[in-house]
Amino acid sequence: MSKKTDPAAGENGENTTHFGFRDVPESQKASMVREVFDTVASKYDLMNDLMSGGVHRLWKDSFINELKPRPGMKLLDVAGGTGDIAFRFLKNGGGSVTVCDINYEMLHVGRDRAADHGLLKNINWTVGDAQKLPLPDHSVDAYTIAFGIRNVTRIEEALSEAFRVLRPGGKFQCLEFSKVVVPGFDKLYDTYSFKLLPEIGRMIAGNREAYQYLAESIRQFPDQETFASMIRAAGFERVKYRNLSGGIAAIHSGWRV
């Protein structure tokens, strides 16, 4: 993801990045993203239902099936505060999981949901930045991030951190909204994303702006091939991706060898 200097960002020439379709100083993006997710944390499932047409649950099931959890496997799930991936990992035979999220409100929702699911063992909750993970080198067998990496200020740094914390032979796996590849469907999806979704967010969640940002952030995220190239540049090998629902989302994966 290229950076640029925006004169409007300040006379100090601070690098800017995108926040949806707006350019903002890099130093401000994390707090702006945090504010968005503070407002939607309690309605996270509803948010994902609206963003995906309700199929995010099937995508996450497929994501975990591709990960192939096993006893003893140690997972780091980044930006997974509400526990969707962590719960599936444990219920499908995974060993232990650390959930790392920069947003405390999302983690609070996740801990409450863990109690509801009866999942109080083998799961650790920690506040942390994807660009500077609070874990030692070579400490986990797998790294996952679902619908979170597009909100990171410097994606390259997050990928570098994923590589750092994985053991040799460890797997990186990312589920993210991507670029529609079905001719004609992209226009329908744009209409839904930019005209209907923000209004639905206003009526149901009382927050039009948050849903407008979420739609814009998807369009700013690199396409499948570009993101795969970024994963390779971070040092991963055997990088591949699989489109879901015509490219509305995609699963990218790679290995530290």
Side-chain angles (χ1 to χ4, degrees), residues 6-199:
D6 181 357
E11 295 182 359
N12 61 0
E14 180 179 353
N15 286 333
T16 64
T17 187
H18 60 77
F19 178 79
F21 290 160
R22 295 162 52 196
D23 287 333
V24 299
E26 282 191 343
S27 62
Q28 296 180 15
K29 180 171 179 176
S31 62
M32 296 172 75
V33 170
R34 188 179 301 113
E35 182 178 355
V36 168
F37 284 93
D38 279 346
T39 65
V40 302
S42 63
K43 299 182 177 68
Y44 182 73
D45 282 339
L46 173 62
M47 178 191 77
N48 279 333
D49 282 334
L50 294 175
M51 296 293 290
S52 70
V55 300
H56 69 97
R57 293 176 176 84
L58 298 177
W59 294 344
K60 290 170 182 173
D61 288 343
S62 181
F63 186 67
I64 287 297
N65 289 339
E66 190 164 312
L67 185 64
K68 296 181 175 61
R70 64 182 185 275
M73 177 186 278
K74 295 181 66 175
L75 170 67
L76 171 64
D77 183 44
V78 177
T82 59
D84 276 4
I85 300 303
F87 302 156
R88 283 172 170 82
F89 173 77
L90 293 175
K91 289 179 178 180
N92 283 273
S96 63
V97 56
T98 296
V99 180
C100 180
D101 200 301
I102 199 170
N103 189 284
Y104 176 81
E105 291 300 322
M106 298 289 278
L107 289 167
H108 181 73
V109 171
R111 284 194 294 266
D112 287 347
R113 293 180 69 199
D116 293 340
H117 284 265
L119 294 171
L120 302 177
K121 296 181 179 180
N122 299 321
I123 185 167
N124 178 56
W125 308 87
T126 184
V127 176
D129 187 341
Q131 297 170 174
K132 194 173 182 180
L133 294 169
L135 274 78
D137 296 355
H138 311 154
S139 57
V140 296
D141 301 304
Y143 171 113
T144 55
I145 184 167
F147 303 121
I149 202 163
R150 74 180 189 280
N151 297 308
V152 172
T153 302
R154 293 180 291 277
I155 293 175
E156 295 92 343
E157 290 188 15
L159 293 172
S160 177
E161 279 290 273
F163 189 85
R164 179 184 66 80
V165 301
L166 279 167
R167 294 170 178 160
K171 189 177 188 183
F172 165 88
Q173 204 166 284
C174 175
L175 171 62
E176 186 55 87
F177 289 106
S178 198
K179 304 301 180 185
V180 173
V181 296
V182 178
F185 185 50
D186 54 343
K187 294 181 180 179
L188 292 174
Y189 188 51
D190 277 348
T191 298
Y192 172 76
S193 298
F194 293 109
K195 294 185 178 180
L196 296 179
L197 179 63
E199 286 304 309

